[in-house]
Each structure stands twice: as structure tokens, then as C-alpha cells.
Amino acid sequence: MTGQCFCGSVAFEFDGPTTDIEICHCSRCQRATGSPFAAEFRVRAEKFRWLRGAELISFFDAPILREPPAYRRSFCKKCGSPVPAVFARNPVVAIPTGLLDGDVPARAADHIWMAKKQNWLNLREIGTLPEYDGDPTPESSARLIEPLKLK
Ligand SMILES: [Zn+2]
């Protein structure tokens, strides 16, 4: 199984087994991803390897709140996309699901840090919203930007 960053300069591969996916709503994951939550699964470190672009990876270790290791955000220096965070001597590598090239080989296990969940995110309601296979219909797009009163 393979994955890559937004610009494709950094790519990796791994083999199973994988853990299930943890959906984390903590404030650090929200800021690190720019999204309401982070969704990651883990693989054994020896089953993970960079295919290209390892020299383009930079990282930021956030101050340790409770105990090591630090919350590390690894990213591609070219496009800023998150990439898996690899620590020396850590037996596992966490892989953000959005980086994979194909289907994700794991399923959602749980939501953690729900106390920090963003207010707009209603997990019951979100499954009932209109769905489109691709771009929304012109009518739906028009309705969406209505409050902006663009002429
Ligand atoms: Zn990149």
C-alpha cells in the first residue's frame, strides 16, 4: 500500500497489519490538520518505508504536555502537506488516512477528545446531508453562496 503528499514529492509504502482508525478531535489535531479532526491508523515501523522525498520532510515538535514523545507534525517542505511522523525507536508509525493512494485498509474505531469537538460538527446530522458524487449541482452552489450576496 502506498501514499503521498499533496505535491507528490514525498511518497511512502507500508504493509499490514494496521490498527483501526482513531478519529481525534483535540485542538492540536484540529490546528495541525486545519480540519475538524484528524483520522489516522498505525502500522509497525519496520513495515513502513519512504519511496521518495525523505530529504524534503521537515517537522515541528509541539511542547510536551504530559509525557514524551512530543506531538510531532511532519510535513513536506514543498507543499506543506502532512506526512507520516516517524520517530527513531518508536515501534509504530501513524499514517493520516488522507495520504493514501487507494482504499484505506482499516476502519474507524473511535472518536477521541470529543470534549474538544467543533461546535458545528454534528455527527448524527452530517450523514443526512445532500451527497454528490463530484461537484455540487449549480443550484446547490448558488444556495451555498447566497449569504454572501455576490452579484
Ligand atoms: Zn509535497
Side-chain angles (χ1 to χ4, degrees):
M1 281 159 285
T2 58
Q4 59 188 304
C5 67
F6 186 41
C7 74
S9 300
V10 179
F12 58 88
E13 72 176 358
F14 62 92
D15 297 307
T18 73
T19 63
D20 284 339
I21 298 161
E22 201 164 60
I23 300 169
C24 184
H25 297 260
C26 83
S27 353
R28 284 183 155 187
C29 280
Q30 289 181 22
R31 290 235 157 77
T33 61
S35 295
F37 53 76
E40 293 185 342
F41 60 89
R42 292 172 176 76
V43 299
R44 294 186 63 91
E46 71 267 21
K47 302 279 194 180
F48 177 92
R49 126 185 133 81
W50 298 110
L51 292 176
R52 61 176 180 271
E55 73 285 354
L56 288 171
I57 298 169
S58 190
F59 65 87
F60 169 74
D61 282 343
I64 293 170
L65 294 180
R66 285 179 298 271
E67 54 189 35
Y71 185 129
R72 172 169 293 184
R73 185 176 184 279
S74 294
F75 55 95
C76 168
K77 279 191 258 191
K78 246 189 189 172
C79 69
S81 165
V83 299
V86 176
F87 284 91
R89 290 183 304 280
N90 193 341
V92 299
V93 175
I95 300 180
T97 62
L99 301 177
L100 296 202
D101 294 321
D103 284 342
V104 177
R107 45 188 307 178
D110 53 13
H111 290 278
I112 63 171
W113 281 98
M114 284 294 273
K116 298 288 187 182
K117 181 181 74 63
Q118 290 206 324
N119 64 296
W120 66 269
L121 182 61
N122 180 327
L123 296 172
R124 307 270 177 278
E125 179 189 67
I126 209 159
T128 68
L129 301 178
E131 296 181 5
Y132 307 95
D133 282 339
D135 285 332
T137 58
E139 300 75 45
S140 172
S141 296
R143 222 180 7 261
L144 188 73
I145 64 164
E146 227 172 65
L148 305 182
K149 301 194 185 310
L150 299 173
K151 285 286 178 301

